Amino acid sequence: MATTNINVRVDSELKKSAETLFNDLGLNMSTAITMFLKNAVAYDGIPFEIKRQHNIPNTETKAALAEYNSMREDPASYKRYQSFDDLMKEVLDDA
């Protein structure tokens, strides 16, 4: 099968990160791009969802926000500290 070249301009940090990832997966950039193109053709479109992100928090952030809201609604149910040093002492004592 005959091959052809594709020239793509990307941010240098993105390229480095992608190369590191692909190397860890045992791939080179050319193979990874070929895999993407084959998947796009087989899928008859982009092989993953593309949508705008409106600063949607991840699962961990959602849990932290829920805990914060719970603390605001019922502060008496949560331990309070007189100072940051008191908090750090307890954390270090538990470590």
Side-chain angles (χ1 to χ4, degrees):
M1 176 188 294
T3 61
T4 188
N5 288 329
I6 298 175
N7 294 316
V8 180
R9 297 186 68 76
V10 296
D11 176 88
S12 60
E13 287 302 314
L14 174 59
K15 181 181 180 222
K16 287 178 192 174
S17 295
E19 284 175 333
T20 299
L21 170 65
F22 299 148
N23 285 336
D24 288 349
L25 296 172
L27 305 169
N28 60 35
M29 185 70 71
S30 182
T31 301
I33 291 171
T34 299
M35 290 171 68
F36 167 76
L37 295 174
K38 285 183 177 187
N39 270 283
V41 170
Y43 185 77
D44 199 25
I46 302 297
F48 48 83
E49 184 178 9
I50 298 176
K51 64 180 183 176
R52 286 187 190 171
Q53 289 254 313
H54 295 285
N55 297 324
I56 300 168
N58 63 24
T59 303
E60 184 177 0
T61 302
K62 286 179 184 177
L65 290 170
E67 182 179 11
Y68 168 74
N69 288 329
S70 175
M71 292 172 88
R72 285 190 64 192
E73 290 171 8
D74 188 16
S77 295
Y78 294 88
K79 186 170 184 172
R80 300 269 181 156
Y81 296 91
Q82 295 299 316
S83 70
F84 182 73
D85 288 338
D86 290 345
L87 167 78
M88 288 304 298
K89 181 181 182 327
E90 182 172 320
V91 168
L92 294 173
D93 286 347
D94 288 346

